[in-house]
Structure formats: C-alpha cells, structure tokens
Amino acid sequence: MDPRSSTKIAVIGSGLMGSALARAFAAAGHDVAVWNRTPSKARAVGGGTLAFENLIEAVSGRALVVVSVSNYAACAELLSSEGVARALAGKTLVQLTSGSPADARAGLEWAMAHGVEYLDAAILAYPGFVATDYATVFYAGSRAVFDRHVATLQAIARNSVYVDEKIGSAATLDCAILEAYYGSSLAFLHAAAMCKAEGLDPKIFFSHKSSFLGLVSVTADAAQGMIERNDFSGDQCSLNTHVAAIEHIVRLSKDARLSTRFPQELLDNYKRALSEGLGLQELPAVFRTLMRD
C-alpha cells in the first residue's frame, strides 16, 4: 500500500472478532493500534498490530477508531472513562459491537455530545470470514463520513454497504437478516428431527434443501410486492391451506414425541391470521398480524 493512503486506526476490543478486524486492517497496510481490557489479549493479536495498555494512548493520533466489544454497555463504560471522550474528539468512531437500533441511537447521541463522528455498523460474518468475499458489513450514519472512510473499511469487507442516514438502520437490517437465519435454521433442524424420529435418514432431507430454499425465495419475492402494495390477494395457495399443512407438522411431532414448541408457535401465528379474516389471502398476509403485538 502507498504510505500516503495508509490510515492510522485503533481497534478497541481483542476478542475473536476484534482481533480479526485488527489483523485485516494491518494486512491491508494500515497502522493499527489495539487495546483490550486484558493487555495480554491485545498483545496476542499480532499480525503487525501495536498493542497498548492505556486506552487513551491507543486512540491518540488515530483517525479511525473501531470498537468491537461484548456489548454496548461495555462500550459505554469504556467511553465514560476519564479522558477518553476528549481523546476521541474530532475522530471517527465506528461501532462494530452488536446491538439494537436503540443502542445505535444512544451511541450517536453520545458521539454528538462529545464532537465525535459516528458510524454504527453490523458485520454479517464469522471472524474467520473477515476480509474475505463472504463478509458483509452494513453501515449507518452520515453518508459523507462513510464515503470518506469506505476505502479503508473495505479492508475488513469488500462488500461494505451503506444502508441509510438513520443511525439504527444497520442494526435493523442485521437483526432482520439474523432473524431469518435463526428462524430458518431452527426450522430445518426440527425438520431433520422429524425425519430421524420417523426412521428417515436426515441426510435424505438435507439432500433436498433446494426444495425448501426455493420455496422461501419465491415466497420472499412475492411478499415484497404484496407488502409494497398492501394487497395480499392471490390465487396460488390460501392461508387456510397453509394452516392445514402446519397442523400435520404439529401432529407428526406429537406422535413422534418430539418437541412441538416450534411448530406450535408457527401454527398459533398463522391461525391468528385466520381469526382476523385473512384465511383466503396468500401466505404473506400474516405480515399484517405481525405489525402489532
């Protein structure tokens, strides 16, 4: 890297993710300081990074400060330490700690009160995927601040995506994608358990993953348009039919003495839509019942 394009960065937090971020920045030719509450963890990061035992010293003279700690409460505790806010004034703080949109808004409020530029970010990758094509990082906040630093930030994920000026938007998108991931993962694991309980080798189920992934993709595409139009009518498959199918899943689970918590929760949510008169609508009509408790 041309030294003129090298950025002085501090990475706060030396857990698995923080360490991966720091090493990726250093590998891209940036000058990287690392700090962790436990100094030995900062020293263990290696990869051309420089460990500091004092947080203020770690961030001093750094244009970009990236935070990756356990949670926002831990971050708030660090930022409230004596002298830290003054040391960060005029710098750009990139918050890569996982949290909620409310956490992001609180972070921005703190940053604005202390003269700190702030981007809230969410990384969609395991530490081992940092700096690979499998990593995506979503960013929210000032577009001008993002544009100024995006070339540097691409060291940790080439797919660095600006979401919106609304500071909570990156966390919202992250939570939405993760919910789809965790929900679908629980679904296919329960499905595999049903197969095993009925004497069907789960590998046969997994060999047909393209079938359920295809259904999810088609439904997601249909749901997008229906939500935009606020019109869930159609002639493909009514909610009444879907509910009948889910009832079969619950019955199978009971008969096989499996946990019925997950399919029963599915059934309860879909039947709620029926109770609100949506039985003749298409499956995405359930969306209407999810916009309130």
Side-chain angles (χ1 to χ4, degrees):
M1 171 180 280
D2 185 336
R4 291 171 297 180
S5 60
S6 176
T7 301
K8 288 192 172 185
I9 303 169
V11 177
I12 308 307
S14 302
L16 292 174
M17 183 59 76
S19 297
L21 297 173
R23 287 192 289 265
F25 280 126
H30 298 295
D31 181 343
V32 183
V34 293
W35 179 91
N36 194 77
R37 193 184 299 274
T38 303
S40 60
K41 289 187 176 181
R43 292 193 295 270
V45 175
T49 64
L50 180 62
F52 283 81
E53 293 192 11
N54 182 281
L55 177 56
I56 294 176
E57 291 178 2
V59 302
S60 296
R62 304 283 157 175
L64 194 64
V65 178
V66 177
V67 182
S68 178
V69 293
S70 57
N71 52 53
Y72 274 73
C75 178
E77 182 181 349
L78 293 176
L79 297 179
S80 65
S81 301
E82 179 66 30
V84 172
R86 288 194 299 275
L88 289 172
K91 297 176 171 52
T92 298
L93 179 68
V94 178
Q95 180 60 272
L96 262 165
T97 300
S98 296
S100 70
D103 291 324
R105 289 187 283 270
L108 177 61
E109 184 177 355
W110 178 90
M112 293 177 66
H114 294 89
V116 178
E117 294 184 324
Y118 184 81
L119 291 174
D120 196 81
I123 186 164
L124 204 64
Y126 290 114
F129 292 152
V130 168
T132 73
D133 290 339
Y134 297 102
T136 295
V137 181
F138 299 119
Y139 293 90
S142 165
R143 182 65 195 240
V145 173
F146 172 79
D147 288 344
R148 190 187 324 138
H149 294 289
V150 63
T152 299
L153 295 170
Q154 284 179 328
I156 59 175
R158 185 174 300 278
N159 192 31
S160 295
V161 180
Y162 179 78
V163 182
D164 197 86
E165 191 89 11
K166 298 183 185 68
I167 199 64
S169 61
T172 299
L173 184 56
D174 181 56
C175 286
I177 290 173
L178 288 177
E179 182 183 32
Y181 164 64
Y182 290 127
S184 60
S185 294
L186 183 57
F188 70 65
L189 292 171
H190 188 275
M194 286 196 300
C195 292
K196 187 173 181 64
E198 286 292 332
L200 181 66
D201 192 332
K203 72 181 181 183
I204 297 177
F205 161 68
F206 286 117
S207 72
H208 291 281
K209 68 178 181 180
S210 60
S211 296
F212 65 81
L213 292 177
L215 286 171
V216 170
S217 180
V218 167
T219 304
D221 289 343
Q224 177 181 338
M226 290 179 176
I227 290 170
E228 288 175 353
R229 298 189 303 272
N230 193 29
D231 180 0
F232 298 92
S233 60
D235 58 4
Q236 295 302 303
C237 187
S238 71
L239 269 172
N240 288 324
T241 301
H242 288 295
V243 167
I246 300 171
E247 287 175 335
H248 297 324
I249 297 169
V250 173
R251 181 183 173 191
L252 187 161
S253 299
K254 288 179 178 178
D255 290 347
R257 297 185 177 180
L258 293 175
S259 170
T260 61
R261 291 182 180 181
F262 180 69
Q264 187 63 56
E265 181 69 21
L266 282 179
L267 182 59
D268 291 345
N269 276 279
Y270 280 78
K271 289 184 77 172
R272 179 184 175 190
L274 297 193
S275 70
E276 297 191 14
L278 300 174
L280 297 179
Q281 304 283 294
E282 296 287 310
L283 186 151
V286 174
F287 177 81
R288 286 180 170 165
T289 70
L290 301 175
M291 292 300 292
R292 60 189 182 282
D293 195 355

